[in-house]
Structures are given as C-alpha cells and as structure tokens.
Amino acid sequence: MTDRDTSRTLAHPEAAEIRLEGVLHALSDPVRLSIVLDLAASADDLACSHFDLPVTKSTTTHHFRVLRESGVVRQAYRGTTKLNALRRDDLEALFPGLLDSVLTAAAAEAERLTST
Amino acid sequence: MTDRDTSRTLAHPEAAEIRLEGVLHALSDPVRLSIVLDLAASADDLACSHFDLPVTKSTTTHHFRVLRESGVVRQAYRGTTKLNALRRDDLEALFPGLLDSVLTAAAAEAERLTST
DNA sequence: CGACTCCTTCGACACCTCTCGTACCATGGG
DNA sequence: CCCATGGTACGAGAGGTGTCGAAGGAGTCG
C-alpha cells in the first residue's frame, strides 16, 4: 500500500465519546502520567519504544491501551513501530484548560518531590 | 466544651503530602465527582447528609474518606453531623487551575450528556 | 528465506475498589 | 435515661487494575 496507514488500524473513541472520568482515571496512574508528560514535552509523535518505563513491554502495551481507549492519545502503526500523539485538540475542545493544568501540576509536583 | 472541635478529629494529609495522582484518582469516580461538584457549587460547608447519592450510607462514608485522604476535602465533626468543605486554597496552591478546569469540564460534560 | 525488532495476546496473580448489610458508637433532645 | 439521628467499622463479594512471563504475529532488513 502506498498509503501511510501501513495496515491494521486501532480503535479510538470519537471525541464525543470521551468521558471526563475516563480521562482522569487514565491520568491517575504514575506510569501513564509520565507517558503523557513525555508526549506533551516533545510536541510530536513518539514511538512506544522511545519511553523508558519501569515496567515490562506487556505492561507498557496495557498502559498505552488505557490511554488510547480513554481518548487521551491517538496511536497509529508506522512500519513495525507504533506512534503515539496526545489528542490535544479534542481534549481542549471538550475540557478547556484541563490538560494544561494537569501537565503544569505534574511538572510542579515532580519538582516539588525532587526537592530543589 | 465551648470550642467547636466537638470531639474526635479526622486525619487529613498536609498540603505538602497531597499527590496529584491521588487527587485525579479521587475525582475519577462519578459519585465523588458529583460530591465535589455539589461542594463547589454551594461555596460553603455541607453536611454528609445533604447529599442525595445513589449509594448506601456506608458507601458514602467510603467515598468521603477517599476524598479526605487524597486531600480534596476537609472534614470536621459538628455535633452529630460531619461538615465537608473543598480544600480550594491548598489545591490551588499546589495545582493552579486544576480544580477549576475539572469543575468546568464536569459541568460541560454534564450538559453535553443531557443533550441540549 | 531467515533473523531481528517491535508490539500484542494470553493466562495468571496479587491487590485494590466499589458496593452492600449488619452491627455499632456518639451526640443531642425529650 | 433512653431513643432518634448521623455517621463508622467490619466483613464480604463482584469486578477491575497493574504487573509479569511466555508465546506469538507483523514488518523490515540482510
């Protein structure tokens, strides 16, 4: 195929199906929060393999699925790797300011906990 | 006793002990989110018995404890009833804008789900 | 083709969570 | 002093969650 949907596609919730509780729950896990932080910091898509997480690959797959199914990230296969991107626009439209305040809060807490 | 700490006091986390993940988790349950919404709307303390929740009393106790232990609300006994208040100042200091955006998001979602 | 990389699936396990009912304690009013 | 009211404690059960390891599919590169 000459197109960039290099094969299997993944199920994502429509913007209208994204639930606040689901998003908050997705963000309430340290591993997932660190993924989201990383994703937010690097402005563009990141492969799963980019992340250095303290869990095994199968657990990583699990966390990315939670993020995808709650509507926080969008995933697409690109060859052998899977690219991840925050759904900033959808989240901003549904819950204005929420993502930013969570990101800011997470950064502030990280700094607070590693002392100065 | 002439004082208002009419006896048993409840354990609350210090502001410095409040964790973002804990707050997000506390807010990710529909029952607790509705409690927080109600609390935010009425600007001042509310007795547990004020809330009309779709769960039994013991479950209500459980949810209030989660909210208190995560640092979202402050509780104090007042005679036979227990008063609840949002810890707006502490949360605002730790995670600026977070509570407001969650409240706004919850209100928007409620309106979105009950159609127009 | 074969090997390698990347990710998924599956079963399993420990743990936590939400829920309930029943029994209970603490306060305040007759 | 006793009871009504408001909340708690405890045990239990159904279901979800985070974690792993082993096995396996999908692409890519030689």
Side-chain angles (χ1 to χ4, degrees):
Chain A
M1 318 170 186
T2 40
D3 257 298
R4 84 277 320 262
D5 68 326
T6 323
S7 53
R8 49 232 151 108
T9 31
L10 291 156
H12 291 79
E14 301 282 327
E17 291 169 348
I18 297 178
R19 304 281 281 106
L20 176 60
E21 294 90 333
V23 172
L24 294 176
H25 173 250
L27 298 177
S28 71
D29 179 276
V31 175
R32 290 192 291 263
L33 190 54
S34 86
I35 291 174
V36 170
L37 243 53
D38 222 336
L39 230 32
S42 69
D44 254 337
D45 300 30
L46 288 179
C48 286
S49 49
H50 164 271
F51 299 89
D52 189 27
L53 301 172
V55 293
T56 64
K57 274 198 292 186
S58 38
T59 304
T60 301
T61 296
H62 162 67
H63 285 308
F64 273 109
R65 175 163 42 210
V66 172
L67 288 172
R68 187 185 71 241
E69 292 182 347
S70 65
V72 176
V73 307
R74 192 175 293 281
Q75 299 186 295
Y77 287 102
R78 175 87 190 203
T80 79
T81 75
K82 193 160 71 167
L83 295 181
N84 303 272
L86 273 182
R87 297 180 65 173
R88 298 193 95 115
D89 295 354
D90 288 333
L91 292 174
E92 189 61 25
L94 287 169
F95 314 124
L98 178 63
L99 183 60
D100 282 344
S101 58
V102 171
L103 294 174
T104 305
E109 175 166 292
E111 185 164 344
R112 177 161 64 96
L113 294 182
T114 52
S115 70
T116 323
Chain B
M1 320 171 188
T2 41
D3 255 301
R4 85 274 322 256
D5 68 325
T6 324
S7 53
R8 48 230 153 115
T9 32
L10 292 157
H12 291 78
E14 301 284 326
E17 292 168 348
I18 297 178
R19 305 282 278 106
L20 176 60
E21 294 90 334
V23 172
L24 293 177
H25 173 251
L27 298 177
S28 72
D29 180 277
V31 175
R32 290 193 291 264
L33 190 53
S34 85
I35 291 174
V36 170
L37 244 52
D38 221 336
L39 229 34
S42 69
D44 253 340
D45 300 29
L46 289 178
C48 286
S49 49
H50 164 271
F51 299 89
D52 189 26
L53 301 173
V55 293
T56 63
K57 272 198 299 181
S58 36
T59 303
T60 301
T61 296
H62 161 68
H63 285 307
F64 273 108
R65 175 162 39 212
V66 173
L67 287 172
R68 187 185 72 242
E69 292 182 346
S70 65
V72 176
V73 307
R74 193 174 293 281
Q75 300 185 295
Y77 287 103
R78 174 87 190 205
T80 78
T81 75
K82 193 160 70 169
L83 295 181
N84 303 273
L86 274 182
R87 296 180 67 172
R88 298 194 96 115
D89 295 354
D90 288 333
L91 292 174
E92 189 62 25
L94 288 169
F95 314 125
L98 178 63
L99 183 60
D100 281 344
S101 58
V102 171
L103 294 174
T104 305
E109 175 166 293
E111 184 165 342
R112 177 162 64 95
L113 295 182
T114 51
S115 72
T116 327

